[in-house]
Amino acid sequence: MTEFFGETYSYKQDIEKVKEILAQQHFNVEPYREKTEVLIQNNGKMIRALITILFGRYTLTVNQKNYDQETIFSIDQCAAAIELLHLATLVHDDVIDNAEKRRGLTTLQNFFGNKNTIYLGDILFTKYFYLLTSLAPSKEFIAYHSSAMEKVLTGELIQDALKFHKQTTLAEYYQAIKGKTATLFSLSAVSGVWLGKKNKQFDEDNLEFKNAFNFGYNLGMAFQMLDDLKDLNPLVKNGKPKFEDLKAGIYTLPIILTLKDKSFQKILSKSESNPFIIENYFIENPDYLKRCKDIIDHFLNEAQKALEFLIDSPESDQLNSLLTNLRLNLENYNI
């Protein structure tokens, strides 16, 4: 997590508060309590929580000119709620993917089986909504979150429907990752602004809401594509098994860009038994990975544009640092 964080600014205190809120999410049924609570407290990068906090604190400062501790607590609660929502989707993903590890820990279904792990993921969803109802300024806020949750699940369904589909288009891929990943990023940003403004209603024409949404959406799209490259780029050694998505029939950005190549179509058929054929293909045809970089750059540039409305502040500096970090990650992939 620390690679995304700077040396100063009180948002670190917010992150600690978010961790405290997450640590209070107890499971009362044995033997599930210990393993599930360890997973909750084994925080990942918490980027979504950070986005909520930064947009919330920035908006509160700009509109109120002073910090309102009650609103700050609501922002921290919302950040924790979104982390719970994200974790719930990951628990269900692990069942679907039959994953062995999550954040370095053995996944829950390896302890409790698929059926009970689905129930545990459902309980995480209920804890997300419980937190949400305690902080929501209006029913519209809860409805907005519910709509976002529906989009996340729809994105997962779209991805599943496209498995092993060799005519998958870039537009279909965008639609899938917009739902499964970018939606939570945009939800995080919009929620921060919403709470910081102390509005009961969402105004889609409001510049602050609009730019927060665009930042989250474009950052989320770039984040997912960058993650996809880790699975396929032969020059990236990240300590994880390669070609996991490919083996599952999930065609990500690099694969989709090459599907028009008829010779690659034949290679793709053979890759089911030997996925390293794909690695050799990308070594011999590096332009496809370079095009991936260009597409990711486009989304990062769009996210950057969405931050141009912010005045200079510690919060805007940290949001810009998130983009800088992703750009550095992209460059370090030697694409």
Side-chain angles (χ1 to χ4, degrees):
M1 183 170 65
T2 55
E3 69 268 21
F4 287 93
F5 292 176
E7 294 299 321
T8 60
Y9 184 53
S10 61
Y11 78 81
K12 286 187 177 181
Q13 298 172 18
D14 292 282
I15 289 293
E16 291 305 316
K17 187 61 183 177
V18 170
K19 290 180 181 179
E20 288 178 19
I21 296 169
L22 291 173
Q24 294 165 6
Q25 309 308 308
H26 297 302
F27 282 67
N28 298 320
V29 180
E30 299 293 353
Y32 311 107
R33 176 171 179 161
E34 180 182 357
K35 299 295 184 186
T36 308
E37 291 184 6
V38 167
L39 178 63
I40 292 174
Q41 295 174 40
N42 184 36
N43 314 109
K45 296 181 179 69
M46 297 183 73
I47 299 175
R48 296 157 192 82
L50 176 61
I51 291 170
T52 303
I53 290 164
L54 292 177
F55 272 100
R57 275 189 173 269
Y58 174 86
T59 307
L60 183 63
T61 303
V62 169
N63 287 276
Q64 303 294 327
K65 305 302 181 185
N66 57 59
Y67 280 156
D68 175 340
Q69 291 303 320
E70 183 180 348
T71 303
I72 289 174
F73 181 63
S74 293
I75 291 167
D76 291 343
Q77 279 187 305
C78 186
I82 290 172
E83 285 295 318
L84 284 172
L85 171 58
H86 176 52
L87 185 58
T89 64
L90 295 181
V91 168
H92 283 176
D93 281 351
D94 289 341
V95 172
I96 295 167
D97 300 337
N98 197 29
E100 295 184 1
K101 295 286 185 181
R102 168 66 62 187
R103 296 175 176 172
L105 299 175
T106 301
T107 51
L108 293 180
Q109 78 267 18
N110 279 282
F111 294 109
F112 307 124
N114 289 348
K115 182 179 74 172
N116 289 334
T117 300
I118 290 293
Y119 291 149
L120 291 171
D122 289 344
I123 291 174
L124 286 171
F125 281 126
T126 67
K127 290 183 178 296
Y128 153 69
F129 276 112
Y130 181 80
L131 275 179
L132 207 61
T133 56
S134 69
L135 65 91
S138 63
K139 289 182 180 179
E140 187 176 352
F141 186 84
I142 296 176
Y144 189 88
H145 273 250
S146 299
S147 175
M149 184 174 168
E150 181 181 4
K151 290 172 184 175
V152 171
L153 299 175
T154 299
E156 293 286 357
L157 287 172
I158 292 170
Q159 177 177 273
D160 194 67
L162 293 171
K163 281 185 174 180
F164 296 105
H165 183 58
K166 294 178 181 177
Q167 283 73 48
T168 300
T169 65
L170 199 56
E172 289 171 327
Y173 168 72
Y174 285 167
Q175 189 180 17
I177 68 171
K178 175 184 177 181
K180 67 189 288 284
T181 302
T183 291
L184 277 187
F185 280 78
S186 59
L187 177 67
S188 301
V190 168
S191 295
V193 171
W194 199 327
L195 294 172
K197 286 175 71 66
K198 300 184 179 182
N199 280 14
K200 291 186 179 298
Q201 306 301 317
F202 173 74
D203 180 3
E204 64 181 13
D205 295 322
N206 178 273
L207 189 63
E208 290 173 286
F209 280 127
K210 188 178 296 186
N211 283 301
F213 178 89
N214 288 338
F215 173 82
Y217 164 74
N218 285 289
L219 180 67
M221 295 291 282
F223 186 88
Q224 182 61 60
M225 293 176 196
L226 203 50
D227 195 57
D228 290 344
L229 286 183
K230 295 178 184 178
D231 193 48
L232 281 174
N233 186 354
L235 299 176
V236 177
K237 307 299 179 185
N238 61 351
K240 297 180 181 179
K242 291 290 183 183
F243 313 114
E244 290 299 294
D245 285 337
L246 183 61
K247 291 173 186 175
I250 299 171
Y251 297 154
T252 54
L253 183 61
I255 296 294
I256 292 168
L257 292 179
T258 58
L259 285 175
K260 293 181 180 180
D261 184 345
K262 292 183 179 179
S263 65
F264 180 77
Q265 291 270 2
K266 296 177 182 178
I267 291 171
L268 189 59
S269 300
K270 295 177 182 178
S271 70
E272 294 176 13
S273 59
N274 182 11
F276 289 97
I277 298 175
I278 299 291
E279 180 172 326
N280 292 331
Y281 179 88
F282 282 118
I283 291 173
E284 294 170 0
N285 299 272
D287 286 346
Y288 287 113
L289 294 181
K290 289 179 181 177
R291 189 179 170 202
C292 289
K293 177 182 180 297
D294 291 340
I295 291 173
I296 295 171
D297 269 336
H298 164 75
F299 283 99
L300 290 175
N301 288 336
E302 290 300 306
Q304 190 77 59
K305 289 178 185 177
L307 292 182
E308 291 176 357
F309 78 101
L310 298 181
I311 62 174
D312 289 339
S313 67
E315 297 92 346
S316 62
D317 287 345
Q318 292 298 328
L319 287 166
N320 277 290
S321 292
L322 279 175
L323 294 178
T324 300
N325 180 272
L326 286 183
R327 290 188 191 280
L328 289 173
N329 272 271
L330 190 59
E331 294 302 322
N332 289 338
Y333 288 162
N334 299 312
I335 298 171

